Amino acid sequence: MKKIFLYSALLTAMVTFNGCSEDDFDSKYKDPSKVSEVTLDKMMSGCMLRANDWACSTYGRYFGYDPQLMGKLSNSLGFTLSGSVYYHDEYEDFGQPYNNYPSMVTDFKKMQEVYDALPEEEKPKNEGYLLAAETHLYGMMIFILSEYNDIPFSEIGLVALNGDVSYANPHYEDGQQLFEMILDRLGEIDKKFATIEKPSAFGGQDFINKGDMTLWRRYANSLRLRAALRVSTQGPLAAKGQAILKEILEGNYPIVEDIEQNIKIARQSSGPLDIEGGSGFDWHNLQTGSAEMINRMQKAGDGGVWVEGQDDPRLPLMYCMATANGEQPTDKESEVVVGDPLKTGIALPTVFRGASANTNYDTFNDMFFTRLNRGYYSRVRRNGFFWGNKNWDHQIISSFEIQFIKAEVYQRGWVAGDAKAAFKEGIRQSVKFMFKYQNSRSVTETDNGDSDYLNGKQQRYVINPDQSIYDDAWIDQFAEARWLTHIDGTPYAGGNLEAVLEQKWVAFGYLYCGEQWCDLRRTGYPRMYYEKDHDVTAVTPYPCNRLRYIAKERSYNIHFQDEVGAYDNYSDVLFWAKADWHDGPTW
């Protein structure tokens, strides 16, 4: 690992926030470069900020990492088979959480050192800072382990802490053992949060849960559920994963089960968290709607008309509509009141259409890059619930994910429970979640023009679905149908288990592309077809089973070649994953 990471990490571990009260918490942060005071409360905030490319809707994540890579692997953003479509070395690094992982581990270890030096009587009053930072670190580690498997951990940062340069290149540790350590440690952390004293400055420095100890328990237990499920379906930790799922769900542990319990980072009006929702979706080819997603949300399939009250209510909150031929209405036409497929309003495009690996590349180029304003394909909706939303809260764990985890566990018979009820609740939580953030947008904000498509006022008039019909009774009816069949009426080949995984994938939308990729590799659901890359020289001609280590790791850690270089390739299957996780050619 590049040595500068480790030396600079100790200095930047001194990052701090103002010690503001819970009432005046919002946005009152000091410039980290101008502060050198080292206390556990301020170190906690600085340590947790390191995880932003994993936890927040950062520009790097939504310009590079997700749309250029993860969204293609998960089929949740539209793409076609341009050259080397399943591989992009630049964007494997850009927005990648691993870039800040060594610094975060170093910061955490410095926190441990400061904590250990406290008088014994002071430790109970300060342990909460350490536990919060540790929980957040493990959240990012679960994701990173799911990309690579073996990573350094124990030796990271030791050169900065004790000056022993022999640790400047930390050894790699077995990913399976690190997963097991995290599973065990999160269980211990939950018990600690249930009993420890709340630190005095915790509320003012905790920018995730604002000092709510019960929410921290929900965070730790929900992360543990996510990690336990990941290893539960195959591999050497399957029995352990299933036992932990049973322990949490039968033990009535506090977990995230409702929107108001979501683990999130509230967007601040200034400072290091001044990040709007979807910041980075500003290149046309990054915004294309996924045909795989759209086809699972409306009965007519690709190029179809969305019918209010029948098709998925989330679709018009996620994507703009498209025209039949790619042309946009002129100003004159847009002033004409017409009968729109949704309701009476201004003349607008009338269909939803996405692209996927199955879309003809030449057709895509012709319709996407040469037609006026690229109207042939639906795009991520600029004035929808997410992109550019100034009121967006960065979601770490959402209630719909946990409901779908419960549904899967119940359906597999690992824990006694009502799988259909959890499945329906997952859909309900997902619909309510999107409407919550769509409704938080001001009229002024939604009226702001999208110069490359339709202005927000036009969209608002005809594309926002009527929320009054999406009450619990209608959602129950919609979910009941999805429990049995795809939206086009065909039965699920994989039965109700496939229904659960498909609706979980739809609920993740384009917010959690990496989590979708993990579920696809773990279960093979929902079934996806991926063409072989048309470029015969492509480094990875098929969707990969894992990522290669970032370039800096390959170049600067002297242990890389001997310890992990032999299997640093895209075809290796991680210990918890399936080899045949998608349709189409494989390695």
Side-chain angles (χ1 to χ4, degrees), residues 69-81 85-86 290 292-293 296 355-359 505 513 516-521 524-534 540-545 579-587:
L69 181 63
M70 285 294 165
K72 296 174 181 178
L73 297 176
S74 63
N75 241 324
S76 53
L77 283 166
F79 68 100
T80 59
L81 286 171
V85 67
Y86 302 124
S290 163
E292 294 284 357
M293 184 74 68
R296 286 171 167 82
S356 72
N358 306 323
T359 302
W505 180 83
C513 300
Q516 289 168 315
W517 184 47
C518 288
D519 271 343
L520 284 167
R521 288 180 292 155
Y525 292 129
R527 296 304 300 176
M528 299 287 185
Y529 180 77
Y530 297 81
E531 286 273 4
K532 181 179 179 180
D533 197 314
H534 293 177
T540 171
Y542 317 104
C544 56
N545 296 321
D580 58 345
W581 57 273
H582 65 84
D583 294 330
T586 56
W587 298 87

Side-chain angles (χ1 to χ4, degrees), residues 334-347:
S334 67
E335 295 171 357
V336 178
V337 176
V338 298
D340 187 81
L342 303 188
K343 60 189 74 173
T344 300
I346 295 173

Side-chain angles (χ1 to χ4, degrees), residues 155-176:
E155 294 182 358
I156 289 178
L158 296 186
V159 63
L161 297 178
N162 59 29
D164 187 344
V165 295
S166 65
Y167 292 113
N169 293 278
H171 288 278
Y172 294 83
E173 295 175 54
D174 183 79
Q176 177 185 323

Side-chain angles (χ1 to χ4, degrees), residues 10-53:
L10 180 57
L11 297 177
T12 51
M14 298 176 180
V15 67
T16 183
F17 294 155
N18 276 329
C20 48
S21 69
E22 292 185 48
D23 291 336
D24 65 358
F25 170 84
D26 288 349
S27 307
K28 297 185 178 179
Y29 302 140
K30 290 182 180 179
D31 182 344
S33 67
K34 299 177 181 178
V35 180
S36 59
E37 180 183 4
V38 178
T39 59
L40 281 172
D41 58 325
K42 297 176 176 64
M43 292 176 72
M44 175 192 73
S45 302
C47 180
M48 294 195 302
L49 272 176
R50 299 287 193 185
N52 273 8
D53 275 340

Side-chain angles (χ1 to χ4, degrees), residues 448-464:
N448 286 339
D450 179 349
S451 60
D452 295 316
Y453 199 68
L454 300 168
N455 69 50
K457 186 174 183 180
Q458 290 173 314
Q459 291 186 30
R460 184 164 56 84
Y461 278 157
V462 302
I463 300 180
N464 282 353

